[in-house]
Amino acid sequence: MTKTKVAILGAGFISDIHVESYQRFIPEAEIVAVYARNFDKAKAFAEKHHIPAYFDDVDKLLAETDCQVVDICVPNYLHAVNTIKAANAGKHIIIEKPLTVTLEEADEMIAVCKANNVKLMYAEELCFAPKYERARQVVKEGAVGEVYMLKQAEKHSGPHTDWFYDINLAGGGVLMDMGCHAMGWFRWMLGNAKVKSVYATMATVLHGNRTKGEDNAVVIVEFENGVTCVAEDSWAKHGGMDDRCEIYGKGGVIYADLFMGSSALTYSREGYGYAMEKADTSAGWSFTIFEEVFNQGYPHELKHFIECVREDKTPLVTGEDGRAVLEILYAAYASAGQGKKISLPFHPKVDRPIDLWLNPKQD
């Protein structure tokens, strides 16, 4: 079998997850190169995962490898520049959330990819997580009747690396990091229905010594089809990752917890190694996760994206979907800053989405 060759940009936590997904679950893909801004880190990552080539220069990687797909796992502020480079080199692109920092960048990324006839695939794994996808299927079968409300919560005690806390690099705080998951999942559940309005409240409650960004946020999104959606996102919740969704219909309800149904309840006096993502201790009672990468949907989305490249299919989640999510995040920041609902479409000119909260312009 001829394999689809993939280059990974980034050598951090999410890159590890993507590599594990490719190597364990996607035999039709082959990782041929990795890039990191630090050469030694790129080399160490390549040696760890048996990747043949490593670079600290994206232009050199694109020129010297025969990759067909570039998988972008670098910090938010580097998404646009690397997407444009890869597209101009004729490479298909898989990009981690959020799509980018600004709507202007998003529009340029989409346009450049179209001009070069390459696919821009937005890696929103909640649209592929087996438990959430099963919930979506039974909703489509009519299990809960007409849906009137969705809720999605993702919470932990804070990101792995420092750049997440720097609003100049990330564009915002927890909403940019995790709120985008909820917005993507809402749209996925509702067939990409249009958003009518967004209302949000946010605060910095735990990490004020590290960031000017919000670390706790609640966002209410009203869709034109009458469905109300509530997103709860936090970097201030201890005890490991919490990721769950609730689906309310006129004929029933579904609760799906992404982690608790795929873990083993463990008690350890002394603690042990890895329990679950963002758990700061494994002493005492803990939920010991198993097949974490698989249950979160990463192999499923990447396998689908590779299939799209190999068979020239349209991805289920595209750059346009990523842009739609970013527009909702803009509205949420503006709502929190102004204390009122924000109607869509909404496209203010800002350097960072979080500026709409930190420096609100009252109407």
Side-chain angles (χ1 to χ4, degrees), residues 27-89:
E28 57 269 35
E30 176 188 5
I31 303 173
V32 297
V34 62
Y35 156 85
R37 287 169 289 168
N38 179 284
F39 184 79
D40 291 336
K41 188 173 183 180
K43 180 181 179 181
F45 190 92
E47 291 175 348
K48 173 183 176 182
H49 294 292
H50 308 290
I51 299 171
Y54 46 89
F55 300 85
D56 61 357
D57 185 315
V58 173
D59 295 319
K60 191 174 181 182
L61 179 151
L62 292 170
E64 296 184 8
T65 69
D66 58 351
C67 67
Q68 298 153 276
V69 175
V70 173
D71 188 336
I72 297 177
C73 300
V74 292
N76 301 353
Y77 76 103
L78 296 173
H79 283 195
V81 63
N82 286 309
T83 295
I84 292 167
K85 285 183 177 182
N88 283 331

Side-chain angles (χ1 to χ4, degrees), residues 7-247:
I8 301 281
L9 304 191
F13 177 79
I14 196 64
S15 298
D16 274 320
I17 288 177
H18 280 222
V19 170
E20 179 182 343
S21 297
Y22 286 118
Q23 293 183 342
R24 290 186 60 196
F25 300 105
I26 314 174
E28 57 269 35
E30 176 188 5
I31 303 173
V32 297
V34 62
Y35 156 85
R37 287 169 289 168
N38 179 284
F39 184 79
D40 291 336
K41 188 173 183 180
K43 180 181 179 181
F45 190 92
E47 291 175 348
K48 173 183 176 182
H49 294 292
H50 308 290
I51 299 171
Y54 46 89
F55 300 85
D56 61 357
D57 185 315
V58 173
D59 295 319
K60 191 174 181 182
L61 179 151
L62 292 170
E64 296 184 8
T65 69
D66 58 351
C67 67
Q68 298 153 276
V69 175
V70 173
D71 188 336
I72 297 177
C73 300
V74 292
N76 301 353
Y77 76 103
L78 296 173
H79 283 195
V81 63
N82 286 309
T83 295
I84 292 167
K85 285 183 177 182
N88 283 331
K91 313 299 184 182
H92 299 291
I93 295 142
I94 299 169
I95 188 162
E96 263 295 334
K97 57 79 188 171
L99 183 67
T100 187
V101 174
T102 70
L103 288 172
E104 291 80 13
E105 289 176 341
D107 289 334
E108 184 179 4
M109 291 159 65
I110 292 168
V112 171
C113 288
K114 286 183 177 179
N116 285 280
N117 196 30
V118 297
K119 299 182 189 298
L120 178 58
M121 297 168 280
Y122 180 58
E124 177 43 73
E125 75 274 7
L126 291 193
C127 298
F128 297 87
K131 187 180 291 188
Y132 283 5
E133 177 57 12
R134 177 61 177 148
R136 190 178 75 98
Q137 288 173 355
V138 298
V139 169
K140 291 175 68 176
E141 293 168 11
V144 300
E146 183 182 349
V147 173
Y148 63 87
M149 184 167 69
L150 300 173
K151 297 179 70 176
Q152 201 275 331
E154 187 167 335
K155 305 175 183 180
H156 56 59
S157 57
H160 294 280
T161 51
D162 289 338
W163 72 261
F164 284 94
Y165 297 96
D166 187 336
I167 60 175
N168 294 313
L169 306 183
V174 70
L175 201 61
M176 289 291 282
D177 178 29
M178 301 197 301
C180 50
H181 287 307
M183 308 314 163
W185 182 73
F186 294 154
R187 296 182 72 252
W188 179 241
M189 287 294 299
L190 301 176
N192 293 340
K194 290 185 178 181
V195 174
K196 181 172 67 174
S197 69
V198 178
Y199 179 77
T201 179
M202 57 187 68
T204 310
V205 300
L206 183 64
H207 298 289
N209 63 326
R210 297 191 67 180
T211 184
K212 294 180 180 179
E214 79 291 351
D215 61 13
N216 197 75
V218 178
V219 183
I220 300 172
V221 184
E222 294 179 326
F223 283 81
E224 288 185 356
N225 61 6
V227 179
T228 300
C229 298
V230 181
E232 299 178 7
D233 294 284
S234 185
W235 287 344
K237 179 261 177 190
H238 295 289
M241 175 73 84
D242 186 7
D243 194 317
R244 64 187 69 192
C245 72
E246 301 174 12
I247 303 166

